[in-house]
C-alpha cells in the first residue's frame, strides 16, 4: 500500500476517529490516541525546521565553530555532514509515529511497555522544561534590547542590584513574563495555531537575515568580505580532522532534542513521503543556505564594527537605527518563541499527559512545563558553565540512549511492526504488557547505556576540577550522544536476543495484520 493510500485509509477508518471505547482510560485521552486526520504538508515541516534552525542559539552555535581554528570551508563541511546525519536520524524516528499517528511517549509503549514508556517520557519532559526556561530567557533578553532602545529611561529597571528579584531585574521579569504569557496563549490555542505560527516565523527570519546580510555587505563593501573567519590558531589538515569531527558532533548534539521529539510532529504528516521531503528541504537544503548566510553576515561585521560578531541580536544592537533594532529584535524573539514551542513546549505536554491521561490533558501537561520553567529560574544558572554541565549535561546524556533504544526496538527487534490497539490496553494479555507493564530489557538498557553516557560527561570534568589529573579529557563528553545512542541500540538488541520480550507472533485475537509501512494493523489504519 502506498503512503497516500495509507493516509487515506487512516482518515476514513472508524477505528482511528478519536477516543475508542475499548481503549483503557489509564492510557488514553483525545490527545494521545491515533490522529483522525494527518494534514501537515512538506511545507509545514520545512517551516518547522526553518523555525528550529533560525533561532538565536542556532546562529551562535554555528558561529562558535570558527573559534575552533577551522577554515570556513571546513566549518561548512562540518555543518553539512552534521545536518545530513540529523536528517537521517529524524527520518528514522519519524516513521513509526507517522504511520501509527501517535506521539513519542505512546510509540515507546511498544518498546518499554505500556507503563514503562513513562520512563523515557519523564526524562525527556524534564530536559524540555529546563530548556524551555532557557530559551524563554534568551528571547526575553532580545526583547529587553527593544525596550531600552525605545524607552531608555527604563535602564534602572534593568539593574538587578537596584530592582531585582530572585536574580532577575524588574525589566527582565517584565520581558520574561510577556513572552511566557504569549507562548502559553499560542500553545493553548492548539496545534493548528502553532502550525500557522511556525509557517510564518520560519520565513520571517529568513527575510530579516537576508536584509541584514545585504545591509552589512553594502556597508562593508563586497571586496572586504572574507570567508576565512577562523579566530583560533590555524590548523594543518591532519590536525583539523579531529576538530571537524568534534564540530560535527556539536551539530548533532545541538539537534538531539528535536531529533528525539520529532515523532510528536511527524504524526501530523500527510504521509511518510511528505515527512521525508519536508526534512530534506528543512535540514540539508535549508541548513546550507543558513550556513552561508551565517558566514557572510558574520564576516561583514568585522569591517563594519571592527570585530567578529556571531550573535545576530548583538549585530542588530550595533546598528544605531531604531527601525533595525525593532525589526531585528522582534524577529529574533519570534524565531526563538517558534523553536521554544515546538522543541520544548509541545513534547513535555505529551510526556506529562502520558503519565496520567485522564488527569493531565495535553494543555495541562504544557502548563506544567511552563510553570516548572519559571520555578527553575534559568537566568541564575544559564551563564554558569558548571551548573549547565552537571544538570543539563547529565540529562542530555540520556537523550542518546533513549534514541538508540527506540530505533533498535522498532526497526530491528519489532521489524517495523506495531499493534496499535495493544498500546492502549492494560490487560495482562496485551502484547505490550510485558512484565507488569514494563519491558525489563528496555529498562536495563536505559540504566546501562545511560550510566556510561553520563559518566562520559561527568568523570573527565570531575577529575580535572578536583585536580586528580592534569589531562583535560572533557572532550569525551562531546560524544556522549553518539556513545549513549550506540550503547542503547546494542545493549537493548543484545538483551532482546538473549531473553526476548517483544514477540512478533500473532496473538489469539490478532488478525495477523500490523503496521509495518505496507500493511495495516489489527484495526485498519
Amino acid at each position: 500500500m502506498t503512503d497516500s493510500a495509507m493516509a487515506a485509509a487512516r482518515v476514513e477508518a472508524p477505528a482511528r476517529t478519536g477516543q475508542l471505547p475499548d481503549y483503557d482510560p489509564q492510557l488514553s485521552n483525545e490527545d494521545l490516541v491515533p490522529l483522525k486526520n494527518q494534514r501537515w504538508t512538506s511545507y509545514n515541516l520545512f517551516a518547522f525546521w526553518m523555525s528550529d534552525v533560525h533561532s538565536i542559539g542556532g546562529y551562535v552555535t554555528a558561529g562558535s565553530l570558527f573559534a575552533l581554528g577551522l577554515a570556513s570551508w571546513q566549518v561548512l563541511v562540518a555543518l553539512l555532514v552534521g545536518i545530513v546525519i540529523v536528517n537521517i536520524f529524524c527520518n528514522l524516528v519519524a516513521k513509526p509515529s507517522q504511520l501509527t499517528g501517535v506521539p513519542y511517549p505512546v510509540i515507546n509503549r511498544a518498546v518499554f511497555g505500556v507503563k514503562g514508556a513513562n520512563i523515557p517520557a519523564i526524562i525527556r519532559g524534564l530536559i524540555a522544561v529546563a530548556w524551555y526556561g532557557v530559551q524563554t530567557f534568551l528571547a526575553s533578553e532580545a526583547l529587553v534590547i527593544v525596550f531600552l532602545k525605545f524607552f531608555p529611561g527604563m535602564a534602572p529597571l534593568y539593574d538587578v542590584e537596584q530592582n531585582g528579584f530572585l536574580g532577575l531585574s524588574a525589566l527582565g521579569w517584565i520581558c520574561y513574563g510577556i513572552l511566557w504569557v504569549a507562548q502559553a496563549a499560542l500553545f493553548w490555542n492548539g496545534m493548528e495555531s502553532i502550525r500557522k505560527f511556525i509557517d510564518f516565523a520560519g520565513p520571517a527570519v529568513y527575510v530579516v537575515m537576508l536584509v541584514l546580510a545585504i545591509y552589512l555587505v553594502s556597508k562593508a563593501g563586497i571586496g572586504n568580505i572574507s570567508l576565512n573567519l577562523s579566530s583560533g590558531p590555524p590548523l594543518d589538515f591532519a590536525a583539523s580532522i579531529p576538530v571537524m569531527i568534534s564540530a560535527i558532533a556539536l551539530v548533532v548534539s545541538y539537534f538531539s532534542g528535536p531529533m528525539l521529539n520529532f515523532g510528536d510532529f511527524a504524526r501530523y504528516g500527510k504521509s511518510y513521503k511528505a515527512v521525508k521531503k519536508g526534512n530534506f528541504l528543512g535540514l540539508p537544503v535549508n541548513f546550507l543556505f543558513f550556513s552561508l548566510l551565517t558566514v557572510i553576515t558574520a564576516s561583514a561585521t568585522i569591517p563594519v564594527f571592527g570585530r567578529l560578531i556571531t550573535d545576530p541580536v548583538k549585530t542588530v544592537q550595533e546598528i544605531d537605527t531604531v527601525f533595525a533594532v525593532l525589526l531585528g529584535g522582534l524577529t529574533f524573539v519570534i524565531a526563538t518563541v517558534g523553536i521554544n514551542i515546538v522543541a520544548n513546549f509541545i513534547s513535555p505536554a505529551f510526556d506529562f499527559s502520558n503519565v496520567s491521561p485522564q488527569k493531565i490533558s495535553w494543555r495541562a501537561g504544557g502548563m506544567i512545563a511552563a510553570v516548572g520553567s519559571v520555578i527553575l529560574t534559568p537566568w541564575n544558572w544559564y551563564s554558569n558553565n558548571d551548573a549547565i554541565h552537571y544538570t543539563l549535561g547529565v540529562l542530555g546524556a540520556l537523550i542518546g540512549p533513549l534514541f538508540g533504544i527506540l530505533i533498535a526496538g522498532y526497526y530491528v527487534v519489532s521489524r517495523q511492526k506495531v499493534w496499535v490497539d495493544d498500546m492502549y490496553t492494560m490487560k495482562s494479555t496485551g502484547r505490550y504488557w510485558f512484565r507488569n507493564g514494563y519491558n525489563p530489557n528496555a529498562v536495563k538498557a536505559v540504566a546501562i547505556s545511560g550510566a556510561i553516557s553520563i559518566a562520559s560527561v561527568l568523570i573527565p570534568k570531575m577529575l580535572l576540577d578536583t585536580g586528580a589529573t592534569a589531562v583535560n579529557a572533557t572532550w569525551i563528553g562531546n560524544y556522549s550522544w553518539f556513545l549513549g545512542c550506540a550503547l542503547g541500540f546494542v545493549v537493548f538488541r543484545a538483551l532482546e536476543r538473549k531473553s526476548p520480550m517483544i514477540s512478533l507472533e500473532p496473538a489469539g485475537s490478532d488478525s495477523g495484520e500490523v503496521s509495518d509501512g505496507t500493511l495495516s494493523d489489527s484495526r485498519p489504519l
Side-chain angles (χ1 to χ4, degrees):
M1 186 181 291
T2 63
D3 280 341
S4 58
M6 287 185 64
R10 184 179 294 122
V11 170
E12 297 172 358
R16 293 289 171 259
T17 57
Q19 181 74 50
L20 300 180
D22 57 342
Y23 278 7
D24 195 301
Q26 298 178 75
L27 297 171
S28 60
N29 59 30
E30 62 179 357
D31 303 307
L32 297 178
V33 296
L35 286 175
K36 176 182 177 180
N37 295 310
Q38 294 171 292
R39 298 177 176 175
W40 285 29
T41 64
S42 296
Y43 173 77
N44 298 138
L45 292 162
F46 173 41
F48 164 86
W49 286 118
M50 277 196 285
S51 293
D52 201 331
V53 168
H54 294 280
S55 64
I56 297 171
Y59 280 97
V60 173
T61 299
S64 69
L65 299 184
F66 293 105
L68 299 177
L70 297 174
S72 292
W73 71 267
Q74 292 172 316
V75 170
L76 186 61
V77 168
L79 289 171
L80 287 178
V81 172
I83 209 64
V84 167
I85 294 173
V86 171
N87 185 31
I88 293 171
F89 286 159
C90 281
N91 286 340
L92 289 175
V93 86
K95 189 173 185 180
S97 284
Q98 193 285 319
L99 294 180
T100 58
V102 303
Y104 169 86
V106 174
I107 199 64
N108 263 297
R109 295 173 186 174
V111 179
F112 282 83
V114 291
K115 291 184 178 180
N118 283 326
I119 295 173
I122 291 172
I123 292 173
R124 190 183 72 150
L126 291 174
I127 297 170
V129 169
W131 278 114
Y132 178 78
V134 168
Q135 291 282 13
T136 301
F137 170 63
L138 291 177
S140 71
E141 289 293 281
L143 193 57
V144 165
I145 293 172
V146 175
F147 267 89
L148 292 179
K149 191 69 176 181
F150 283 87
F151 308 103
M154 297 183 73
L157 294 178
Y158 194 48
D159 188 335
V160 70
E161 298 296 330
Q162 294 183 40
N163 299 287
F165 176 66
L166 294 179
L168 186 63
S169 68
L171 183 57
W173 274 109
I174 292 171
C175 293
Y176 191 95
I178 290 173
L179 289 175
W180 192 95
V181 172
Q183 291 176 116
L186 178 60
F187 170 81
W188 198 262
N189 282 324
M191 283 300 298
E192 187 63 17
S193 295
I194 293 171
R195 180 189 65 78
K196 292 178 180 178
F197 178 81
I198 61 178
D199 282 353
F200 158 77
V205 185
Y206 249 132
V207 172
V208 171
M209 281 304 296
L210 278 171
V211 171
L212 182 61
I214 293 171
Y215 170 79
L216 290 175
V217 170
S218 65
K219 292 282 287 184
I222 191 70
N224 293 320
I225 302 299
S226 171
L227 297 183
N228 187 12
L229 303 179
S230 175
S231 59
L235 302 173
D236 59 37
F237 182 76
S240 68
I241 296 300
V243 180
M244 287 182 67
I245 293 174
S246 180
I248 292 169
L250 180 63
V251 172
V252 177
S253 296
Y254 177 77
F255 285 98
S256 61
M259 276 195 301
L260 187 67
N261 300 345
F262 190 62
D264 293 333
F265 304 95
R267 71 183 295 229
Y268 295 96
K270 294 177 66 175
S271 67
Y272 183 51
K273 181 178 180 180
V275 171
K276 289 192 292 184
K277 182 179 179 181
N279 284 349
F280 176 74
L281 293 174
L283 289 169
V285 174
N286 172 46
F287 206 71
L288 173 61
F289 191 71
F290 157 79
S291 302
L292 292 172
L293 203 57
T294 300
V295 171
I296 292 171
T297 304
S299 176
T301 62
I302 298 175
V304 175
F305 303 119
R307 68 186 192 281
L308 176 65
I309 306 175
T310 57
D311 186 337
V313 174
K314 292 181 179 178
T315 302
V316 170
Q317 190 177 6
E318 289 289 329
I319 302 175
D320 193 21
T321 305
V322 171
F323 175 74
V325 172
L326 178 63
L327 179 64
L330 292 182
T331 300
F332 288 113
V333 166
I334 290 172
T336 306
V337 166
I339 175 58
N340 207 18
I341 287 179
V342 299
N344 302 316
F345 209 151
I346 291 173
S347 295
F350 282 123
D351 292 331
F352 297 140
S353 180
N354 188 73
V355 173
S356 183
Q358 294 305 304
K359 295 180 179 179
I360 305 175
S361 67
W362 179 70
R363 284 182 171 85
M367 296 314 297
I368 290 173
V371 172
S373 70
V374 179
I375 294 174
L376 290 176
T377 63
W379 49 85
N380 283 325
W381 47 266
Y382 175 68
S383 59
N384 186 320
N385 291 332
D386 285 339
I388 288 285
H389 189 88
Y390 287 113
T391 55
L392 293 182
V394 171
L395 288 172
L398 293 172
I399 294 179
L402 296 180
F403 189 97
I405 292 169
L406 175 61
I407 298 305
Y410 178 72
Y411 286 95
V412 179
V413 181
S414 296
R415 301 176 189 173
Q416 302 185 50
K417 294 178 173 63
V418 178
W419 280 260
V420 176
D421 292 349
D422 282 274
M423 293 191 292
Y424 296 92
T425 178
M426 295 284 281
K427 296 178 181 178
S428 59
T429 55
R431 184 176 294 273
Y432 303 124
W433 180 251
F434 298 125
R435 190 175 297 166
N436 298 319
Y438 295 84
N439 182 348
N441 291 334
V443 175
K444 291 175 184 176
V446 168
I448 295 171
S449 58
I452 296 174
S453 182
I454 290 174
S456 73
V457 173
L458 289 184
I459 293 178
K461 182 169 176 57
M462 290 177 64
L463 292 176
L464 190 65
D465 289 347
T466 58
T469 179
V471 178
N472 187 350
T474 54
W475 58 268
I476 296 174
N478 296 335
Y479 301 94
S480 63
W481 186 92
F482 292 93
L483 177 63
C485 180
L487 283 172
F489 185 98
V490 171
V491 172
F492 181 69
R493 183 184 181 189
L495 290 172
E496 278 290 331
R497 291 182 68 178
K498 180 180 179 181
S499 180
M501 295 298 297
I502 297 177
S503 173
L504 300 182
E505 296 299 322
S509 61
D510 286 337
S511 66
E513 294 183 326
V514 295
S515 171
D516 65 353
T518 56
L519 301 174
S520 59
D521 67 344
S522 59
R523 289 193 173 189
L525 290 175

